[in-house]
Amino acid sequence: MKVKPSCARYEPPRPGVASDRPRALRLPPALRLPAAAGAVVFAVAVCTTQVAMQVTNREADRQLERLGQVYLDGLAASVRLGLEARDPVYIEGRFRRSFGEQRGVPERALFAFAPGGEMLARHGDAALTEDAARAAPDDRMRLDEAAGIAWVGRTVTGEAEPAGRLVAALDIGPMLAARARLSWTIVVVDLLLASLFAAATWLVLRRLGRPLRALVEGLSEGAHRPPARLPDDMLAAADPRTAQMLAAYNRMVDGVRERELLAAELAERDQAAALGRLAATIAHEVRNPLGGLATAVSTLRRFGDRPEVREESLAFLERGIGALDRIVTSTLNVYRPADDRRLTRSDLEDLRHLLRPAAERQGVSVKLELDLPSEELALGSGGVRQVLLNLLLNACAATPPGGRVGLRVRVEGEAMICEVTDEGPGLDPARLGPAGMGAPSRRLGLDVVVGLLGSLDARASVMERDGGGTLIRLAIPLRAGAPA
């Protein structure tokens, strides 16, 4: 038999979990601080290396510009006489000699211009145009990284007026290629080192935060199950301040356990005292009638053959038995709660709140589907709710963690139908007599549940669900005009 899922569902809350955020984007709380620290170390390492590379590149450009100016210093001293005399042959000869003496930065082309701008002489790569040479700035360097050329210019002054202008196109392609290779090497090494340092930071912080992580987990789990002590080796490995905090937590756990044991012991003592008072009350009230009954029995044995004595003794015995019945009835009325309120939908909706602690402890979810009218039903609220509550508690105890317990209630004709489902190992219908599901101190045995159902004139059936689990079906008659 399949049981449809209900529309109202209760899921035990999970501490520290925000339900409106994607699960895949969240890290466990224990990993957030180490991961954040590792990310910060990685980012700082990469950023500082990039800043250092930028500063180094700018300084290299300034050094290259000074190198070009030093080159022009020597070239200007070599061709100054030719510029002053406007002698292209002399200038071109000096240019050829300069090309023949290349040892450092090689030249691609050399240009000499008159003060008016006309070109006097040139030597080198013919693909480099005069216009590109004229655009070269004085006393500064213009880099053409695509062509691998650095343009440098210098105005050469004579004794009274400018003698002309020199422009050099230096071949810096190999230098730029070497710089690019160095930059990529630095980037790769920087990423590797930053990743190693980030991983080391993550491991160190994770190890240092292990005691605090265990403390937080213990405090979080303490809301759903009894707290557990932290191991002594963890306290020994922690620093003094952290060890003091963990020791305080262990003392708190010991105190909670001790209080629970004391509370259980006090409850047992109260129960024993109540039973003792009940037994003493019954014994006190029953002892006097029993004495009279014993006297009547003795009289019958001695004078039972006399009709008048026999009738008088039997009448006395009948009255004494009636007195004992009244004593027992009055005692039951004192210790049995009265069910004087009609059943409403709110009474069954309260089951969700009553079941929450047991569901959270067991790690199961509870579904309620209540198809009931808004008016009161011709049933006592206490008995029905007590039966359903104990059946649902038993179902929570029988269902493994992660399973689901369900309750479906509806009215069919002159009866209220209740179906309790679980995902436990199943229940043998032949064992429905005195067997109980769960600890006696916390749940009713099935015999007591059956007794309560008897007072409601209800019928119960148990069947196995398809796919595993048990379904208990109750049919409780609605009797108009019956006392609550």
Side-chain angles (χ1 to χ4, degrees), residues 98 114 134 363:
S98 175
R134 288 189 178 94

Side-chain angles (χ1 to χ4, degrees), residues 3-12 351-352 355 358-360 362-369 388-408 419-424 437 443 465 468-472:
V3 179
K4 296 181 179 180
S6 85
C7 39
R9 181 175 182 177
Y10 168 72
E11 292 285 355
L351 294 174
R352 180 181 292 105
L355 289 171
E360 290 179 353
Q362 190 66 15
V364 300
S365 59
V366 178
K367 288 185 176 182
L368 301 182
E369 185 177 355
L388 293 179
L389 175 61
N390 284 278
L391 288 177
L392 288 170
L393 288 173
N394 292 333
C396 290
T399 301
R404 188 167 53 194
V405 173
L407 170 64
R408 183 183 179 190
E419 293 177 349
V420 179
T421 59
D422 63 46
E423 296 181 356
M437 295 186 298
R443 300 176 181 87
R465 299 174 58 200
T470 303
L471 184 146
I472 299 179

Side-chain angles (χ1 to χ4, degrees), residues 6-8 344-352 368-373 388 407-410:
S6 85
C7 39
T344 63
R345 181 187 179 91
S346 300
D347 294 323
L348 300 184
E349 289 177 346
D350 290 342
L351 294 174
R352 180 181 292 105
L368 301 182
E369 185 177 355
L370 307 177
D371 186 11
L372 294 175
L388 293 179
L407 170 64
R408 183 183 179 190
V409 181
R410 64 188 183 277

Side-chain angles (χ1 to χ4, degrees), residues 259-272:
R259 283 193 295 272
E260 290 179 350
L261 292 176
L262 290 176
E265 184 178 355
L266 289 176
E268 292 178 357
R269 290 183 179 180
D270 290 343
Q271 183 179 10

